[in-house]
Amino acid sequence: MNGVAQSNTIKYLFIDECQDFNADEIADFAEHGEYLWLFGDNNQSIMAFKATINNPESYHTVQSVEDTIKQLNAEHQDLCLNHRLTIENAAVGEHIFPDTNLRDACLKHGPKPLLLTTDARAKELDEIIRIIRDNSLTNVGILNHYNRNINFIREHFASKGIAVEWKTNSTEGNIDFNSTNPKVMTIHCAKGLQFSYVFIPFCHEPTTYDDEKATLYVASTRPLTQLILTSTGSPSKFLPPKGSDIYA
């Protein structure tokens, strides 16, 4: 969608993930561009945060794409094609949010997603390491909800002699995207990114996020080639169950 802004600070201003901003932030964008284009998907809205005792400044509100359209009195256009996802990987996102009809937007085919179940968290990571090593994978993202799990993953990989690039929500870590090391990060840090192979470990763990469906949707729509889910027991209720024909 596009709308004419209030000043000429920037001639053309493009804002991605507009569903992750609030009305004040949208107004600020509009004040700094003569022409404003915003792109968004309500199903990927994961940047609303509640204040906590330890971090009262974490509070952040967002608004829907539709509310932003009304705020700016902007024109709206649907983008109907998805050039990242394969039809097979898109089936997971479509299971999470059926109304998206995500597979219809995809143009290419690829291997079906995998769901690997074990009886221990460490064994999940061992399976991920095996797949990466056996297939000499380089463009790999390993995504999870929690900082503590990111630390657990990188420490386990280090114990197996595998270096990783890593990043948590608490600004710890740093990612070198020129490196071929696996990229281990929270799902929030992975917004807007893509990897050839995406692993989501610990899919059995319930989250405390109100937007658990949205975070799983974001994570499951990052792969260019294949999505691999691992779980100690049954995966999240929002994911296709074990035995689904969505999986290979």
Side-chain angles (χ1 to χ4, degrees), residues 2-207:
N2 62 73
V4 179
Q6 301 298 316
S7 72
N8 299 328
T9 304
I10 298 171
K11 182 74 172 181
Y12 302 107
L13 184 58
F14 294 82
I15 306 298
D16 197 10
E17 311 288 1
C18 73
Q19 76 284 342
D20 287 328
F21 298 101
N22 58 43
D24 290 340
E25 291 164 334
I26 294 295
D28 188 53
F29 293 141
E31 290 176 359
H32 291 87
E34 183 176 351
Y35 296 95
L36 184 65
W37 281 262
L38 299 101
F39 302 85
D41 177 359
N42 288 332
N43 291 324
Q44 297 191 48
S45 182
I46 64 172
M47 293 299 179
F49 299 109
K50 298 176 181 178
T52 65
I53 295 175
N54 294 330
N55 189 10
E57 296 181 357
S58 64
Y59 177 75
H60 182 251
T61 61
V62 299
Q63 69 179 18
S64 69
V65 174
E66 291 76 16
D67 285 342
T68 294
I69 293 171
K70 292 177 183 178
Q71 178 182 348
L72 299 177
N73 191 27
E75 298 177 12
H76 170 253
Q77 180 178 346
D78 288 326
L79 300 180
C80 300
L81 296 179
N82 187 309
H83 295 280
R84 173 192 298 146
L85 286 173
T86 64
I87 293 169
E88 289 75 14
N89 289 330
V92 175
E94 189 172 299
H95 179 90
I96 297 170
F97 285 120
D99 291 343
T100 59
N101 296 316
L102 190 57
R103 282 179 285 189
D104 292 341
C106 300
L107 303 174
K108 60 183 182 179
H109 284 282
K112 280 188 172 185
L114 295 175
L115 172 64
L116 307 176
T117 59
T118 70
D119 57 7
R121 283 160 45 94
K123 290 183 180 179
E124 292 185 47
L125 301 185
D126 289 338
E127 276 296 293
I128 293 173
I129 290 171
R130 180 189 62 79
I131 292 171
I132 293 173
R133 282 178 165 168
D134 288 354
N135 297 280
S136 301
L137 304 183
T138 54
N139 187 13
V140 169
I142 303 173
L143 314 180
N144 194 263
H145 292 92
Y146 292 118
N147 293 338
R148 65 175 183 270
N149 284 339
I150 300 307
N151 290 323
F152 178 72
I153 294 166
R154 68 183 180 86
E155 289 168 2
H156 187 84
F157 271 58
S159 74
K160 304 295 182 178
I162 301 178
V164 301
E165 308 296 320
W166 63 280
K167 188 79 173 65
T168 68
N169 290 344
S170 58
T171 72
E172 295 178 327
N174 189 40
I175 300 284
D176 177 4
F177 287 102
N178 293 318
S179 169
T180 58
N181 294 334
K183 313 301 187 294
V184 181
M185 67 186 76
T186 61
I187 296 170
H188 288 83
C189 289
K191 273 302 283 289
L193 300 180
Q194 59 188 23
F195 305 93
S196 294
Y197 296 87
V198 170
F199 295 85
I200 309 176
F202 317 139
C203 287
H204 59 285
E205 292 184 350
T207 78

